Amino acid sequence: MKKVLLTGFGPFGKDSLNPALLVIQELDGQKVALKNGGKTSEAEIITKELSVVFSKAINEFKTTVETTNPDLILSIGQAGGRMGISLERIGINVADADIADNEKNKPRDEPIVREGPAAYFTTINIRKSFNEVKQAGIPVKISNSAGTYVCNNLIYGALHFLTSNETYSKIKYGFIHIPYLPKQAAEKKKITPSMPLALIKEAILILIKGNLG
Amino acid sequence: MKKVLLTGFGPFGKDSLNPALLVIQELDGQKVALKNGGKTSEAEIITKELSVVFSKAINEFKTTVETTNPDLILSIGQAGGRMGISLERIGINVADADIADNEKNKPRDEPIVREGPAAYFTTINIRKSFNEVKQAGIPVKISNSAGTYVCNNLIYGALHFLTSNETYSKIKYGFIHIPYLPKQAAEKKKITPSMPLALIKEAILILIKGNLG
Amino acid sequence: MKKVLLTGFGPFGKDSLNPALLVIQELDGQKVALKNGGKTSEAEIITKELSVVFSKAINEFKTTVETTNPDLILSIGQAGGRMGISLERIGINVADADIADNEKNKPRDEPIVREGPAAYFTTINIRKSFNEVKQAGIPVKISNSAGTYVCNNLIYGALHFLTSNETYSKIKYGFIHIPYLPKQAAEKKKITPSMPLALIKEAILILIKGNLG
Amino acid sequence: MKKVLLTGFGPFGKDSLNPALLVIQELDGQKVALKNGGKTSEAEIITKELSVVFSKAINEFKTTVETTNPDLILSIGQAGGRMGISLERIGINVADADIADNEKNKPRDEPIVREGPAAYFTTINIRKSFNEVKQAGIPVKISNSAGTYVCNNLIYGALHFLTSNETYSKIKYGFIHIPYLPKQAAEKKKITPSMPLALIKEAILILIKGNLG
């Protein structure tokens, strides 16, 4: 049986919940039916919470990959203010923070991997994924920048690790930014876009089926 | 039994559906349990689709009020691009259209009612309604402008009619702008905010209970 | 010689300057050439700084009108985040503040004038003004809401005063919201729209000529 | 004497002017005074208009570099809707167009250079440039995505060419996205941010001095 690893960041800063974490908690352990031509099979979802800390998140990621060796990895992060599912196309070799992470790191224009390449493209089929999520009636976009904070750091670090290790170089890796949940948005002083958990989970399942089947 | 009239606009321009219409169709005929101190009672929901046409919508509104004589009226309109439920505070005496309505009317800076007052405030309890919807975890705002198109036209025309007729002057009137549904937003070229039908209906029920009970 | 009164709010909250004040300071005492058919004449600009305090601003306004008796009044306020000149169409009878004014007043859903009408329209020729400013290549819009803070309070209070006094009822009154200056915008953490002082002054002069000539 | 090459795109689509072109036309041939410790020197500005066509722009760029061999190159492109000067950090190896270029090319998720690296960082001192422009009171941001259209195509193609040729590998290369001019913004149906030409030119001169001196 194929294995999908979903990673999600824990609560950050003043927020007491991170919808990325809710998503992976609700999907943890689920079996996903896959179609591949005439054959059907199943994939199992395993999950891992990552710290909102620059280098620590990458280390936690590496250890999880080494112990689980999945076929597909989707990392999920919150991007408050976005209006739908964002499929990240690329991670770039820059750590540049305007606010400190949960361990007070605040890098400024630093490389994530010294002498590393400028960027790595995520390796899921991003156009097919975009079309399938959109087809399901879920607002979605392809994003060309995951910023330069902890999320981008994970994308770059994860892809650097996976592509540098022959054992793991065939694991597909994608990163998905998700909006606030409605109840989070309702608490903000200024009204802000949101998406319910059910739609987010549906999008994640579509991404799993489309990139594993 | 108390009666609530919900009005919703039909499809407009290039859009083939109007979520306002879906909302009222799904709520039509429902009974709503009301609490009033220790007593409980029920309200019945009746509905009316209105044309997206400047003066015609007001005329359809008047006829419906005369034949149904409700206790509370909530008019619902779509405002594509908004991020949550908008409770409109006021309708102003201006019809000013940048695009034509469904019968090609395109007024420019015209009064809705010649010699009418500059504006009417909606008569639901807007702060209580705001707090209750927010409390339920649904993104909501109080809006100080419903624009100068068919929606504002209805607000002003409805309140002018209700306050000018002794028979109807005690009917509470509110106007709610709602966002795109996710499936509508998913079809737009540029990603745009949305809210699922279930949350919109929940908000409308909260508004009914809070302004009738 | 005709007289134009320009009012501008002083610094507010954390900001150390208010571009509205800079505008009126630079225009104070200037003579403006007017064309009226074949005849030419001049208007003199006089100015008054108003406090960012709910009722005090209106009182300062009244006193200034009584002592100067101008032909045209343009009030100018900053609306950080707006992208161009905003010509306000209306002031509504609500004081509703999310942040306190400079004397810690923070009204919630209060009428400005108890038993006053719901709203007053500003009395400059707003469409002509819009067209002339746009024609001059300056980004401009007609706004249907000046909010419910000190600026809206002044619009409503000023128009209530002017229309309630026979002596002053022919004075034309307009309100203009202006964006941040570039140097203000440059200091914000997040990039935000701006407009240089020279363009703002040009727009104000166009408004004077168009509503007095 | 040092040489600075400024490139600017010509008019695109429905727009009859491109502010990037106006900027380089007004700066063409100017001498810029440089300070380097105690010494002063001068740089000469030369300019080149590039076609808004995917591969053609890169070819025009290469030819211009070969014939002029400058010390610093700043490419300028319009990004309508942006609120200030955008200093682009990176160009990525993707051509993905939602609208056709001036020769009807509309690539979808294609690499710019097959087997090329995922991205190149621009080589001006982006943080120092950011600080100096901001210090001058001009709204500015560092941008982590130049999109996937002709502008990004030029960044990637230019940096691929420069770093692949020993002769040119020391030429510093930057890309600057600029907002609409006020008169462009004034013509849009919906109000949109703008920046006057004088401020844009001032920012470009600051960038030249800061990266050559």
Side-chain angles (χ1 to χ4, degrees), chain D residues 16 27 30 35-37 45 48 61 69 74 101 104 106 115 118 129 131 139 168 174 185-186 192 199:
Chain D
S16 58
L27 292 174
Q30 282 200 22
K35 281 183 198 163
N36 199 340
I45 295 176
K48 172 67 183 170
F61 175 87
N69 198 9
L74 299 177
D101 69 15
K104 310 214 169 150
K106 202 178 164 185
E115 311 296 327
S129 299
N131 289 335
Y168 308 123
T192 185
L199 275 190

PDB file of all heavy atoms in Angstrom, chain D residues 16 27 30 35-37 45 48 61 69 74 101 104 106 115 118 129 131 139 168 174 185-186 192 199:
ATOM      1  N   SER D  16      -1.282  52.216 -24.764  1.00  0.00           N
ATOM      2  CA  SER D  16      -0.569  52.897 -25.834  1.00  0.00           C
ATOM      3  C   SER D  16       0.784  53.420 -25.366  1.00  0.00           C
ATOM      4  O   SER D  16       1.601  53.849 -26.150  1.00  0.00           O
ATOM      5  CB  SER D  16      -1.409  54.046 -26.388  1.00  0.00           C
ATOM      6  OG  SER D  16      -1.705  54.945 -25.347  1.00  0.00           O
ATOM      7  N   LEU D  27      15.952  59.300 -19.349  1.00  0.00           N
ATOM      8  CA  LEU D  27      17.276  59.170 -18.719  1.00  0.00           C
ATOM      9  C   LEU D  27      18.385  58.925 -19.746  1.00  0.00           C
ATOM     10  O   LEU D  27      19.576  59.036 -19.421  1.00  0.00           O
ATOM     11  CB  LEU D  27      17.261  58.028 -17.690  1.00  0.00           C
ATOM     12  CG  LEU D  27      16.413  58.273 -16.435  1.00  0.00           C
ATOM     13  CD1 LEU D  27      16.352  57.018 -15.575  1.00  0.00           C
ATOM     14  CD2 LEU D  27      16.996  59.447 -15.616  1.00  0.00           C
ATOM     15  N   GLN D  30      22.061  60.619 -20.068  1.00  0.00           N
ATOM     16  CA  GLN D  30      22.442  61.364 -18.854  1.00  0.00           C
ATOM     17  C   GLN D  30      23.732  60.824 -18.240  1.00  0.00           C
ATOM     18  O   GLN D  30      24.044  59.647 -18.353  1.00  0.00           O
ATOM     19  CB  GLN D  30      21.330  61.274 -17.792  1.00  0.00           C
ATOM     20  CG  GLN D  30      20.158  62.196 -18.067  1.00  0.00           C
ATOM     21  CD  GLN D  30      19.350  62.454 -16.797  1.00  0.00           C
ATOM     22  OE1 GLN D  30      19.847  62.299 -15.689  1.00  0.00           O
ATOM     23  NE2 GLN D  30      18.097  62.839 -16.979  1.00  0.00           N
ATOM     24  N   LYS D  35      29.972  58.446  -6.218  1.00  0.00           N
ATOM     25  CA  LYS D  35      30.955  58.628  -5.149  1.00  0.00           C
ATOM     26  C   LYS D  35      31.490  57.264  -4.754  1.00  0.00           C
ATOM     27  O   LYS D  35      30.733  56.327  -4.582  1.00  0.00           O
ATOM     28  CB  LYS D  35      30.300  59.277  -3.925  1.00  0.00           C
ATOM     29  CG  LYS D  35      30.118  60.773  -4.085  1.00  0.00           C
ATOM     30  CD  LYS D  35      29.523  61.351  -2.805  1.00  0.00           C
ATOM     31  CE  LYS D  35      28.930  62.732  -3.127  1.00  0.00           C
ATOM     32  NZ  LYS D  35      28.017  63.167  -2.073  1.00  0.00           N
ATOM     33  N   ASN D  36      32.798  57.193  -4.594  1.00  0.00           N
ATOM     34  CA  ASN D  36      33.388  55.928  -4.190  1.00  0.00           C
ATOM     35  C   ASN D  36      34.497  56.253  -3.214  1.00  0.00           C
ATOM     36  O   ASN D  36      35.609  56.538  -3.615  1.00  0.00           O
ATOM     37  CB  ASN D  36      33.925  55.193  -5.424  1.00  0.00           C
ATOM     38  CG  ASN D  36      34.107  53.710  -5.124  1.00  0.00           C
ATOM     39  OD1 ASN D  36      34.195  53.342  -3.956  1.00  0.00           O
ATOM     40  ND2 ASN D  36      34.181  52.906  -6.146  1.00  0.00           N
ATOM     41  N   GLY D  37      34.178  56.221  -1.945  1.00  0.00           N
ATOM     42  CA  GLY D  37      35.124  56.686  -0.944  1.00  0.00           C
ATOM     43  C   GLY D  37      35.333  58.163  -1.189  1.00  0.00           C
ATOM     44  O   GLY D  37      34.392  58.941  -1.342  1.00  0.00           O
ATOM     45  N   ILE D  45      24.518  56.825 -19.000  1.00  0.00           N
ATOM     46  CA  ILE D  45      23.340  55.964 -19.177  1.00  0.00           C
ATOM     47  C   ILE D  45      23.090  55.725 -20.657  1.00  0.00           C
ATOM     48  O   ILE D  45      22.965  56.678 -21.437  1.00  0.00           O
ATOM     49  CB  ILE D  45      22.084  56.618 -18.549  1.00  0.00           C
ATOM     50  CG1 ILE D  45      22.246  56.728 -17.032  1.00  0.00           C
ATOM     51  CG2 ILE D  45      20.833  55.807 -18.885  1.00  0.00           C
ATOM     52  CD1 ILE D  45      21.107  57.456 -16.331  1.00  0.00           C
ATOM     53  N   LYS D  48      17.904  50.843 -24.061  1.00  0.00           N
ATOM     54  CA  LYS D  48      17.451  49.960 -25.145  1.00  0.00           C
ATOM     55  C   LYS D  48      15.992  49.576 -24.898  1.00  0.00           C
ATOM     56  O   LYS D  48      15.653  49.057 -23.822  1.00  0.00           O
ATOM     57  CB  LYS D  48      18.331  48.696 -25.166  1.00  0.00           C
ATOM     58  CG  LYS D  48      17.873  47.594 -26.098  1.00  0.00           C
ATOM     59  CD  LYS D  48      17.991  47.991 -27.554  1.00  0.00           C
ATOM     60  CE  LYS D  48      17.458  46.889 -28.465  1.00  0.00           C
ATOM     61  NZ  LYS D  48      17.354  47.348 -29.877  1.00  0.00           N
ATOM     62  N   PHE D  61      18.212  41.677 -25.887  1.00  0.00           N
ATOM     63  CA  PHE D  61      19.040  41.962 -24.720  1.00  0.00           C
ATOM     64  C   PHE D  61      20.488  41.504 -24.963  1.00  0.00           C
ATOM     65  O   PHE D  61      21.442  42.249 -24.705  1.00  0.00           O
ATOM     66  CB  PHE D  61      18.462  41.253 -23.494  1.00  0.00           C
ATOM     67  CG  PHE D  61      19.289  41.383 -22.251  1.00  0.00           C
ATOM     68  CD1 PHE D  61      19.130  42.470 -21.394  1.00  0.00           C
ATOM     69  CD2 PHE D  61      20.242  40.426 -21.919  1.00  0.00           C
ATOM     70  CE1 PHE D  61      19.896  42.582 -20.243  1.00  0.00           C
ATOM     71  CE2 PHE D  61      21.017  40.538 -20.773  1.00  0.00           C
ATOM     72  CZ  PHE D  61      20.838  41.622 -19.935  1.00  0.00           C
ATOM     73  N   ASN D  69      28.621  46.294 -23.780  1.00  0.00           N
ATOM     74  CA  ASN D  69      29.413  45.824 -22.636  1.00  0.00           C
ATOM     75  C   ASN D  69      29.362  46.746 -21.416  1.00  0.00           C
ATOM     76  O   ASN D  69      30.387  47.309 -21.008  1.00  0.00           O
ATOM     77  CB  ASN D  69      30.865  45.594 -23.078  1.00  0.00           C
ATOM     78  CG  ASN D  69      31.607  44.708 -22.080  1.00  0.00           C
ATOM     79  OD1 ASN D  69      30.997  44.138 -21.158  1.00  0.00           O
ATOM     80  ND2 ASN D  69      32.918  44.587 -22.248  1.00  0.00           N
ATOM     81  N   LEU D  74      20.072  47.629 -15.558  1.00  0.00           N
ATOM     82  CA  LEU D  74      18.779  47.628 -14.854  1.00  0.00           C
ATOM     83  C   LEU D  74      17.680  47.501 -15.900  1.00  0.00           C
ATOM     84  O   LEU D  74      17.557  48.349 -16.784  1.00  0.00           O
ATOM     85  CB  LEU D  74      18.593  48.911 -14.048  1.00  0.00           C
ATOM     86  CG  LEU D  74      19.613  49.196 -12.952  1.00  0.00           C
ATOM     87  CD1 LEU D  74      19.319  50.551 -12.282  1.00  0.00           C
ATOM     88  CD2 LEU D  74      19.615  48.091 -11.891  1.00  0.00           C
ATOM     89  N   ASP D 101       1.583  37.409 -25.661  1.00  0.00           N
ATOM     90  CA  ASP D 101       2.494  38.541 -25.799  1.00  0.00           C
ATOM     91  C   ASP D 101       2.209  39.255 -27.133  1.00  0.00           C
ATOM     92  O   ASP D 101       1.248  38.913 -27.834  1.00  0.00           O
ATOM     93  CB  ASP D 101       3.957  38.093 -25.651  1.00  0.00           C
ATOM     94  CG  ASP D 101       4.457  37.226 -26.806  1.00  0.00           C
ATOM     95  OD1 ASP D 101       3.802  37.167 -27.874  1.00  0.00           O
ATOM     96  OD2 ASP D 101       5.500  36.587 -26.633  1.00  0.00           O
ATOM     97  N   LYS D 104       1.680  37.029 -30.035  1.00  0.00           N
ATOM     98  CA  LYS D 104       0.707  35.957 -29.828  1.00  0.00           C
ATOM     99  C   LYS D 104       1.281  34.664 -29.247  1.00  0.00           C
ATOM    100  O   LYS D 104       0.680  33.599 -29.347  1.00  0.00           O
ATOM    101  CB  LYS D 104      -0.035  35.650 -31.139  1.00  0.00           C
ATOM    102  CG  LYS D 104      -0.579  36.940 -31.770  1.00  0.00           C
ATOM    103  CD  LYS D 104      -1.878  36.735 -32.485  1.00  0.00           C
ATOM    104  CE  LYS D 104      -2.469  38.101 -32.847  1.00  0.00           C
ATOM    105  NZ  LYS D 104      -3.271  38.051 -34.061  1.00  0.00           N
ATOM    106  N   LYS D 106       1.856  32.300 -26.196  1.00  0.00           N
ATOM    107  CA  LYS D 106       1.167  32.114 -24.920  1.00  0.00           C
ATOM    108  C   LYS D 106       1.616  30.788 -24.303  1.00  0.00           C
ATOM    109  O   LYS D 106       0.844  29.829 -24.214  1.00  0.00           O
ATOM    110  CB  LYS D 106      -0.342  32.111 -25.172  1.00  0.00           C
ATOM    111  CG  LYS D 106      -1.156  32.449 -23.948  1.00  0.00           C
ATOM    112  CD  LYS D 106      -2.636  32.480 -24.286  1.00  0.00           C
ATOM    113  CE  LYS D 106      -3.455  32.437 -23.014  1.00  0.00           C
ATOM    114  NZ  LYS D 106      -4.892  32.357 -23.296  1.00  0.00           N
ATOM    115  N   GLU D 115      16.794  22.266 -19.363  1.00  0.00           N
ATOM    116  CA  GLU D 115      17.933  21.808 -18.544  1.00  0.00           C
ATOM    117  C   GLU D 115      18.623  22.956 -17.795  1.00  0.00           C
ATOM    118  O   GLU D 115      19.655  22.735 -17.165  1.00  0.00           O
ATOM    119  CB  GLU D 115      18.989  21.066 -19.382  1.00  0.00           C
ATOM    120  CG  GLU D 115      18.454  19.987 -20.295  1.00  0.00           C
ATOM    121  CD  GLU D 115      17.810  18.829 -19.524  1.00  0.00           C
ATOM    122  OE1 GLU D 115      18.288  18.528 -18.418  1.00  0.00           O
ATOM    123  OE2 GLU D 115      16.829  18.255 -20.040  1.00  0.00           O
ATOM    124  N   ALA D 118      16.752  26.026 -11.888  1.00  0.00           N
ATOM    125  CA  ALA D 118      15.390  26.448 -11.575  1.00  0.00           C
ATOM    126  C   ALA D 118      15.249  27.963 -11.517  1.00  0.00           C
ATOM    127  O   ALA D 118      14.188  28.508 -11.832  1.00  0.00           O
ATOM    128  CB  ALA D 118      14.955  25.836 -10.241  1.00  0.00           C
ATOM    129  N   SER D 129      19.819  48.639  -1.874  1.00  0.00           N
ATOM    130  CA  SER D 129      18.988  49.414  -2.805  1.00  0.00           C
ATOM    131  C   SER D 129      17.642  49.731  -2.168  1.00  0.00           C
ATOM    132  O   SER D 129      17.153  50.863  -2.236  1.00  0.00           O
ATOM    133  CB  SER D 129      18.786  48.628  -4.099  1.00  0.00           C
ATOM    134  OG  SER D 129      20.027  48.375  -4.726  1.00  0.00           O
ATOM    135  N   ASN D 131      16.884  49.911   1.017  1.00  0.00           N
ATOM    136  CA  ASN D 131      17.035  50.897   2.090  1.00  0.00           C
ATOM    137  C   ASN D 131      17.235  52.309   1.549  1.00  0.00           C
ATOM    138  O   ASN D 131      16.685  53.271   2.082  1.00  0.00           O
ATOM    139  CB  ASN D 131      18.200  50.510   3.005  1.00  0.00           C
ATOM    140  CG  ASN D 131      17.876  49.298   3.860  1.00  0.00           C
ATOM    141  OD1 ASN D 131      16.703  49.021   4.131  1.00  0.00           O
ATOM    142  ND2 ASN D 131      18.901  48.547   4.255  1.00  0.00           N
ATOM    143  N   PRO D 139       8.041  54.909  -1.948  1.00  0.00           N
ATOM    144  CA  PRO D 139       7.514  53.586  -1.601  1.00  0.00           C
ATOM    145  C   PRO D 139       8.191  52.484  -2.417  1.00  0.00           C
ATOM    146  O   PRO D 139       8.263  52.566  -3.640  1.00  0.00           O
ATOM    147  CB  PRO D 139       6.023  53.701  -1.956  1.00  0.00           C
ATOM    148  CG  PRO D 139       5.704  55.156  -1.835  1.00  0.00           C
ATOM    149  CD  PRO D 139       6.955  55.851  -2.310  1.00  0.00           C
ATOM    150  N   TYR D 168      30.925  38.426 -19.537  1.00  0.00           N
ATOM    151  CA  TYR D 168      29.882  39.269 -18.976  1.00  0.00           C
ATOM    152  C   TYR D 168      29.524  38.907 -17.532  1.00  0.00           C
ATOM    153  O   TYR D 168      28.643  39.516 -16.933  1.00  0.00           O
ATOM    154  CB  TYR D 168      28.620  39.183 -19.841  1.00  0.00           C
ATOM    155  CG  TYR D 168      28.884  39.454 -21.297  1.00  0.00           C
ATOM    156  CD1 TYR D 168      28.555  38.529 -22.282  1.00  0.00           C
ATOM    157  CD2 TYR D 168      29.502  40.648 -21.700  1.00  0.00           C
ATOM    158  CE1 TYR D 168      28.813  38.784 -23.619  1.00  0.00           C
ATOM    159  CE2 TYR D 168      29.771  40.901 -23.039  1.00  0.00           C
ATOM    160  CZ  TYR D 168      29.437  39.964 -23.997  1.00  0.00           C
ATOM    161  OH  TYR D 168      29.710  40.215 -25.305  1.00  0.00           O
ATOM    162  N   GLY D 174      19.898  43.955 -12.398  1.00  0.00           N
ATOM    163  CA  GLY D 174      18.707  44.112 -11.550  1.00  0.00           C
ATOM    164  C   GLY D 174      17.464  44.309 -12.389  1.00  0.00           C
ATOM    165  O   GLY D 174      17.531  44.712 -13.553  1.00  0.00           O
ATOM    166  N   ALA D 185      -3.397  55.610 -14.599  1.00  0.00           N
ATOM    167  CA  ALA D 185      -4.341  55.162 -13.577  1.00  0.00           C
ATOM    168  C   ALA D 185      -5.662  55.921 -13.689  1.00  0.00           C
ATOM    169  O   ALA D 185      -6.740  55.354 -13.473  1.00  0.00           O
ATOM    170  CB  ALA D 185      -3.743  55.331 -12.179  1.00  0.00           C
ATOM    171  N   ALA D 186      -5.572  57.223 -14.044  1.00  0.00           N
ATOM    172  CA  ALA D 186      -6.784  58.049 -14.133  1.00  0.00           C
ATOM    173  C   ALA D 186      -7.713  57.549 -15.229  1.00  0.00           C
ATOM    174  O   ALA D 186      -8.913  57.784 -15.187  1.00  0.00           O
ATOM    175  CB  ALA D 186      -6.408  59.510 -14.379  1.00  0.00           C
ATOM    176  N   THR D 192      -6.828  52.731  -9.257  1.00  0.00           N
ATOM    177  CA  THR D 192      -5.686  51.835  -9.129  1.00  0.00           C
ATOM    178  C   THR D 192      -4.466  52.662  -8.706  1.00  0.00           C
ATOM    179  O   THR D 192      -4.428  53.858  -8.959  1.00  0.00           O
ATOM    180  CB  THR D 192      -5.482  51.094 -10.483  1.00  0.00           C
ATOM    181  OG1 THR D 192      -4.463  50.134 -10.351  1.00  0.00           O
ATOM    182  CG2 THR D 192      -5.127  52.044 -11.604  1.00  0.00           C
ATOM    183  N   LEU D 199       9.304  60.525  -9.490  1.00  0.00           N
ATOM    184  CA  LEU D 199       9.726  59.652  -8.382  1.00  0.00           C
ATOM    185  C   LEU D 199      10.359  58.372  -8.912  1.00  0.00           C
ATOM    186  O   LEU D 199      11.316  57.856  -8.330  1.00  0.00           O
ATOM    187  CB  LEU D 199       8.526  59.287  -7.498  1.00  0.00           C
ATOM    188  CG  LEU D 199       8.113  60.254  -6.389  1.00  0.00           C
ATOM    189  CD1 LEU D 199       7.071  59.598  -5.490  1.00  0.00           C
ATOM    190  CD2 LEU D 199       9.310  60.688  -5.562  1.00  0.00           C
TER     191      LEU D 199
END
